[in-house]
Amino acid sequence: MNTEQALMQRSDSKCELCSSAEHLAVFPVAPYDDADAERCVMSCQLCREQLADGSELDVNRWHSLNDSVWSAIPAVQVLSYRLLTRLSDQPWAQDLLEMVYLDEETKAWAIATEAAPSDDSEPCLDSNGARLAAGDSVVLIKDLDVKGTSFVAKRGTPVRNISLTNNPEHIEGRVNGTRIVIISAFVKKTN
């Protein structure tokens, strides 16, 4: 059985991300580009177009991630996690990211391409000099006034599934249900 046949059988001839049955094809999950069924998903044309690097995501289309992120197939979990990370400015996507559990190997695969810094960029470091990556968990080391809100983010507050920004001195995370930008020198990485 070839990869396409294996994926059609595994997916019941539907897109593994949105359940569409039209224009299906094999989609290898980066960094892999081989035809191993364990490293690929069956996806529809619309999902493949949205998965292209730099493409703008149609937020409404991806509510299907509520189901696909819980798949038993690691490749589907990885793509779902990556899409949720790209959509993390949406409250529903951030909530789902905070709930989802990926085993260590799958999480490493999911953040492999997004966490790899380019050679010309500075790494994002916490208060102790530990390198931060997208998806890490941190804890605040001092009370922070949150601009534009009426609350103070207290010292010791955990922030899970952080996102990196273009500025290596800033991270983004959710505190008290609000997505905020935090100076990385005011956090400590947790395990």
Side-chain angles (χ1 to χ4, degrees), residues 50-108:
Q50 293 267 309
L51 288 166
D53 287 337
S55 67
E56 188 171 332
L57 297 179
D58 175 6
V59 175
N60 295 325
R61 172 172 191 72
W62 294 111
H63 284 280
S64 62
L65 296 173
N66 283 312
D67 297 325
S68 64
V69 76
W70 302 109
S71 170
I73 311 300
V76 177
Q77 293 174 347
V78 166
L79 276 183
S80 298
Y81 182 87
R82 288 178 182 172
L83 285 163
L84 286 168
T85 301
R86 286 177 62 186
L87 293 164
S88 63
D89 61 334
Q90 300 296 315
W92 65 268
Q94 184 62 36
D95 291 344
L96 196 51
L97 271 173
E98 290 175 4
M99 288 188 298
V100 74
Y101 171 79
L102 301 177
D103 63 48
E104 285 184 37
E105 185 177 330
T106 305
K107 178 115 183 211

Side-chain angles (χ1 to χ4, degrees), residues 104-120:
E104 285 184 37
E105 185 177 330
T106 305
K107 178 115 183 211
W109 181 10
I111 64 174
T113 57
E114 68 184 49
S118 60
D119 293 337
D120 59 347

Side-chain angles (χ1 to χ4, degrees), residues 125-130 132 139 141 183-189:
L125 305 175
D126 74 355
S127 61
N128 294 328
L132 297 173
V139 65
I141 61 168
I183 297 174
S184 59
F186 298 147
V187 300
K188 180 174 71 171
K189 185 175 180 176

